[in-house]
Amino acid sequence: MASRLLRVPVSSISLSDRHRQFFKSRVGFDLTEAPREQTPCHWAFQSDGVYTVSDLLADERFEHTDIVQQGGMRAYAGAPLITRTGYSLGTLCVIDNRPRTFSTEETELLADLAEMVMSQIELENSIGRIHPVSGHPNEYQLIDDLDDIAGRQPEAEHTALLIELLPARQLRQGMRVLGANFVENLIHSSTETIRRCLDADTCLYHIGPTRCAVLLSATCASVWEAAARRLDLHLREPIACDGIPVRAVPAIGVYTFKPADVTPRDVLRRLYNAAEDARDDGVLTASYDPDHDRIHARRFQLLGSLSDALRADDQLALMFQPRVDLSGRPRGAEALLRWRHPHHGPVSPAEFVPLVEETAHIQELTQWVLDNALAQVARWRRAGHSLKVSINVSAPNLEEPDFAAGVARLLARHDVPPGAIELEFTESVLARDDGRVIEQLCALRDMGIEIAIDDFGTGYSSLAYLQKLPASVLKIDRAFIKDLPTSERDRKLVRAMIGMAHDLGYRVVAEGIESEEGVALLAEWGCDEAQGYYFSKPLSVGDMEAWLAARNH
């Protein structure tokens, strides 16, 4: 616009630091930066209004510079870009290739265009750095400020607090009942409270829907502990949200650091970790714990390397733990997934499966387990072993609308009859409370696949769901079995579970059998099947075949 309206071939918007000028937008030349003192913008940058030079070649300050000698630049007009607080950032300038004098109308026009540029800069800065709900600096401003501190005081210790006002569940409930006003009222009231509890020079940032961060000027524990107590006391005062009193339930993460030792984004991440630790432990404050951080880093690494494991030939494997009747005769086997990580070594399914269930990887992992388990079932059937294999499937799989159809395709591919397998689901399927879950389970049952409820007694146990789920096998969790010889309470519970399950038509499997006395008690109570180290640990395919041969003999 400047080039067109002022009829000049060259124009630019530039920003300057102490020594150089950076051309951020330009017409008529390719230069991206130049020494500041060699350009007329250096003088425009320091002026209050539009700065003009009629002939650069006739001005001793510029006549010998490269931009005049080689660039053919003669006439110049530049308007400074000044913030609302009075700081000069750079210039909007126009340059003609012939000497000329710029009229008052032209300089006023250039000044107007410079104001438009500055308005756009400040608008973008405001949108990018100020949280629109609270009006406080946001996460990006916090990162910039931490960068600035690192440049000025790299070795000085600083303490930051992250204040989470509500647990996630309470936030969701408030949003469902009260809508967006709930969060806005909460954050407006809470940020005002936080400001009153802290020193006037303490920086406050709004970095999430109900999360704030502060940078304290002091680092000793007594200071931040006192600040945390004040925050807890005042933040718990009721806040009116559409006439309903709401209480914040703060959890505060604390991190003391030297800027030279950690990046700004790691400061923020460690604050999040500390606040989550406080929330998980049910305490007001928690300091950053490197050991916890390493645990989370390991989990992230495991999730990141699972795709490679699924494609590799030597990481994932299936072991098989025999299932027997109470006289020890083989009745089946449970397929158990094992992962030998190339860097972390053996990784327990109890560690990585719950992580995978929270991601889309669970579909791919379950597909791998089903495919490999069915391939082994097919090999055993061809060898004359009519062994029913039980396969663990995760609750999220039942939310896939075509899960049952996918299982049917795998059975057909491996030529395995549906009755040769049993699918195990933990009671967590009930947490879904989704019609799709029952629909998929019914489809699997109708195909002839037996459904087993795994780890019974540790989750959402209720008589209502036992009537609703289309299952035929109930597996009593090892937590109730391991102490049977010594615990009268466990004996009463297990005996009652077996009787109730039989009355409802379930076949009962006891997990975690480790003693002869436990076997005798379960046999006395009519338990149908058992598995555990008393009979056999999980076995490789070869060892499983040897175990079967010995038992059959």
Side-chain angles (χ1 to χ4, degrees), residues 391-409:
I391 305 168
N392 290 279
V393 179
S394 294
N397 294 124
L398 291 175
E399 296 181 346
E400 303 168 40
D402 60 345
F403 177 71
V407 173
R409 287 192 294 271

Side-chain angles (χ1 to χ4, degrees), residues 282-310:
V283 296
L284 172 62
T285 63
S287 295
Y288 167 71
D289 187 334
D291 291 335
H292 286 186
D293 200 11
R294 281 190 286 273
I295 291 171
H296 290 294
R298 172 183 166 93
R299 291 172 178 172
F300 182 78
Q301 291 166 4
L302 291 176
L303 284 175
S305 55
L306 182 61
S307 292
D308 291 337
L310 288 163

Side-chain angles (χ1 to χ4, degrees), residues 8 165 206 217 222 247 269 272 290 296 303 424 508 529 540:
V8 295
L165 299 171
H206 182 189
S217 54
S222 61
R247 292 182 188 274
R269 183 180 62 80
Y272 281 130
H296 290 294
L303 284 175
E424 293 186 16
V508 181
E529 296 179 26
S540 66

